[in-house]
Amino acid sequence: MTIEQHTTPLSEHHVGDALMLIAGEWTEAADGWWIDVESPRDRTILGRVPRGGAEDVRRAVDAASRAFPAWRDLRPRDRGELFRRIADALEPEQERIARLLSLENGNAIRTQSRGEMQFVVDAFRYFAGVAGEAKGESIPLNPQVLDYSRREPLGVVGAIVPWNAPLMLSALKIAPALVTGNTLVLKLAEDAPLAVLAVARVCQEFLPAGVLNVITGYGSEAGEALTSHPAVAKLSFTGSTAVGRRVMEKGAERIVPVSLELGGKSPQIVFPDADEDWVVDGTISGMRFFRQGQSCTAGSRLFIHESVFDSFVGKLVDKLSELVVGDPVDEASDLGTIVNARQFDRVGEYIADGIEQPGVDLALGGLPPAEGPLAQGWYHRPTVFANVSNSWRIAAEEIFGPVVCAIPWRDETDVIRMANDTHYGLAGYVWTHDLGAALRTAHALEAGWVQVNQGGGQVLGQSYGGFKQSGIGREFSLEGMLDSYTQRKHVSVHLER
Ligand code: NAD
């Protein structure tokens, strides 16, 4: 589609066409097709990106394969130094890129996008610092034998990211994959490619051609082409469990290692001694309300002890009512928009389903306003369902919206059983002053990451990842980098022959 053919109005912040990166060149799709990127704040067109397909993926993987030997053989610390310089060069661009992110995925700039962009710079510096740490070991066998291991890169990595935190998740693939000597083909989410392309532009000023390739396009086209390509030696995917299963099947066909960071329906457990304001603030943060609940770690099942249930829900409703839902690039907004029409409708369907459950108490929010300024974009308001049963659909399925289900509990054993009664296992939150209860619960939760008395985001250096159907592998840390992006080779040398 050409710009002239648009029926949807262009955004006041329209950025034009942003190109893909293949073999060091900024390029259109081979077949000339484009994807419009809509701004969810007002449903206008923000720009276009190429609709990459199999031919583009083939060119990108070829470029990454050609670039691999020289990049692999560069001194690891020199690779790290390049990422240090990229981080420095990104700093003056941070505000511009954070704003672009808010415009394309609807996250509020003050509460989300600035921090996410800062994370990119921090992640590049972190992995730059550990670039030389891909060390092996030697085994003391006997004086005649030197037996040692090396950690080697895998080759061309194929990585795929979603739209909800595209900058952070792309940085967590680009930096660890590249500093360990792999080359990369990164497929961006069709709904939020622009901010990552802006980061890639800065990276490309420092990296040799073909080391980093960035493809835009749909999952069913570019995504499938990447997971099927025979020269891709490793797949790293962040997104939904349904697509993760598909990526794993494609990896299994060729026995290619796969890392998966998938969905969640994480529990927060509030003990009777935790009916306090700071806990309410913490559960709001743990629910990722400031990202409209569009987070894999959202603590969207809020188990509150029955003795403090009404009081806690009352405080929660009061605090959530004060949050400002509005234009993501307005400094006053605490929450922005849902990313697109499909997700907006999906969240609305879950809310409608919740309202119909017998005995439910819609304590706050509900279906989105049909008129007024919020009706101009894909805005949902914070929604609290109280007296929810853990077996209802709204408590069992990942809504990926600003909807929390408050579920009463009486007995510690029973709340742990309910918390674990899910095929997901990503995160968990425990709120209590009782250290014994906190740690008993933290250890009993089937989740890859449990926070006690805090509801923060991931920190570099944590081996973050999921249990059960929330994923396989860890990527936020040195250990994750070694496990995900290197393979061990053993060398045994007889010294006297
Ligand atoms: P999604 O799975 O629909 O899409 C993610 C990416 O996969 C996109 O780039 C998409 O184009 C691509 N894709 C879709 N179909 C594909 C296919 N057949 N082959 C290859 N690629 C394909 O997920 P989404 O809706 O973009 O993101 C939301 C999901 O991501 C949620 O489930 C959320 O929990 C999860 N998520 C997990 C983490 C984590 O760290 N565990 C982080 C962020 C998001």
Side-chain angles (χ1 to χ4, degrees):
M1 195 186 281
T2 63
I3 303 265
E4 292 70 34
Q5 285 171 307
H6 278 300
T7 48
T8 316
L10 299 185
S11 165
E12 60 188 302
H13 303 287
H14 187 250
V15 294
D17 296 344
L19 300 175
M20 303 188 286
L21 176 60
I22 300 178
E25 303 286 332
W26 295 96
T27 174
E28 298 181 11
D31 61 12
W33 286 84
W34 295 86
I35 298 173
D36 287 332
V37 181
E38 186 194 82
S39 185
R41 64 193 270 277
D42 57 3
R43 308 178 193 175
T44 55
I45 299 298
L46 189 56
R48 298 192 307 178
V49 292
R51 179 171 160 181
E55 172 58 16
D56 303 293
V57 168
R58 191 189 60 69
R59 287 180 49 228
V61 174
D62 284 355
S65 302
R66 283 195 305 277
F68 175 60
W71 182 248
R72 173 195 61 201
D73 293 342
L74 202 63
R75 290 190 328 158
R77 283 175 196 210
D78 291 345
R79 290 196 293 261
E81 177 56 25
L82 288 175
F83 272 88
R84 214 166 279 120
R85 287 163 59 192
I86 291 170
D88 291 347
L90 278 171
E91 264 183 350
E93 302 289 328
Q94 277 183 242
E95 182 64 19
R96 179 179 71 82
I97 298 175
R99 200 175 162 77
L100 194 53
L101 180 63
S102 285
L103 289 168
E104 67 178 333
N105 82 348
N107 285 345
I109 187 156
R110 176 175 54 80
T111 57
Q112 281 304 312
S113 301
R114 276 193 195 113
E116 187 177 334
M117 185 57 213
Q118 179 63 50
F119 184 96
V120 175
V121 173
D122 292 348
F124 281 6
R125 293 210 170 106
Y126 172 87
F127 287 106
V130 295
E133 293 298 312
K135 297 182 282 204
E137 300 119 11
S138 67
I139 309 176
L141 286 177
N142 65 51
Q144 290 77 40
V145 172
L146 171 62
D147 203 289
Y148 66 97
S149 66
R150 288 162 52 83
R151 282 192 179 270
E152 299 184 355
L154 291 113
V156 178
V157 173
I160 299 174
V161 289
W163 46 263
N164 66 330
L167 283 174
M168 174 173 99
L169 298 168
S170 295
L172 287 166
K173 308 224 186 275
I174 294 171
L178 296 191
V179 298
T180 43
N182 303 281
T183 53
L184 182 63
V185 179
L186 175 67
K187 207 294 277 175
L188 304 182
E190 49 273 35
D191 289 300
L194 298 172
V196 184
L197 286 172
V199 168
R201 280 219 172 243
V202 175
C203 293
Q204 193 47 43
E205 288 170 22
F206 297 88
L207 298 173
V211 166
L212 171 64
N213 304 273
V214 184
I215 298 283
T216 51
Y218 294 116
S220 56
E221 298 172 354
E224 286 279 330
L226 185 57
T227 56
S228 312
H229 196 293
V232 171
K234 154 92 196 186
L235 293 169
S236 174
F237 172 80
T238 304
S240 63
T241 296
V243 177
R245 190 170 289 119
R246 171 84 183 141
V247 171
M248 198 164 176
E249 281 168 13
K250 301 303 285 183
E253 283 172 13
R254 295 183 290 111
I255 319 290
V256 165
V258 175
S259 301
L260 303 173
E261 294 200 344
L262 308 177
K265 189 76 184 177
S266 298
Q268 306 206 49
I269 301 179
V270 178
F271 278 74
D273 64 349
D275 182 24
E276 296 173 12
D277 279 342
W278 68 272
V279 178
V280 178
D281 290 337
T283 58
I284 289 172
S285 164
M287 175 48 212
R288 310 291 184 245
F289 268 113
F290 298 105
R291 213 195 282 162
Q292 301 77 254
Q294 299 175 123
S295 166
C296 48
T297 54
S300 50
R301 287 183 299 147
L302 184 57
F303 295 99
I304 306 167
H305 193 266
E306 60 177 12
S307 63
V308 294
F309 190 87
D310 291 342
S311 160
F312 195 91
V313 169
K315 288 191 190 69
L316 179 66
V317 166
D318 288 348
K319 284 187 184 270
L320 286 174
S321 305
E322 286 168 14
L323 298 181
V324 177
V325 180
D327 185 349
V329 288
D330 186 338
E331 295 292 329
S333 300
D334 295 305
L335 279 77
T337 70
I338 300 296
V339 70
N340 60 23
R342 189 168 48 87
Q343 286 294 120
F344 176 83
D345 290 346
R346 221 176 134 239
V347 173
E349 282 162 23
Y350 278 110
I351 294 173
D353 182 72
I355 288 170
E356 282 178 9
Q357 299 310 309
V360 77
D361 170 15
L362 177 62
L364 182 70
L367 291 168
E371 326 189 307
L374 294 188
Q376 306 303 309
W378 304 122
Y379 296 90
H380 269 290
R381 295 163 302 174
T383 293
V384 179
F385 283 113
N387 297 327
V388 170
S389 161
N390 196 42
S391 62
W392 292 351
R393 212 175 134 228
I394 52 170
E397 297 178 11
E398 186 182 45
I399 297 177
F400 231 56
V403 182
V404 72
C405 295
I407 304 169
W409 65 276
R410 180 177 301 169
D411 171 68
E412 193 178 309
T413 313
D414 204 39
V415 74
I416 289 169
R417 182 194 58 74
M418 285 196 285
N420 287 337
D421 185 16
T422 166
H423 61 279
Y424 290 119
L426 195 55
Y429 306 80
V430 186
W431 304 94
T432 177
H433 296 282
D434 178 341
L435 187 61
L439 295 187
R440 273 196 310 276
T441 308
H443 296 176
L445 285 178
E446 296 165 358
W449 181 31
V450 180
Q451 299 191 64
V452 176
N453 294 338
Q454 60 166 40
Q458 297 93 329
V459 174
L460 284 162
Q462 286 170 344
S463 285
Y464 163 79
F467 282 15
K468 303 202 279 191
Q469 292 186 28
S470 286
I472 296 174
R474 304 288 183 261
E475 286 191 344
F476 274 65
S477 59
L478 165 61
E479 296 78 16
M481 174 186 96
L482 297 177
D483 288 349
S484 294
Y485 294 111
T486 68
Q487 54 189 344
R488 282 165 180 269
K489 177 186 283 176
H490 225 80
V491 182
S492 304
V493 189
H494 201 287
L495 299 174
E496 294 186 355
R497 288 185 191 137

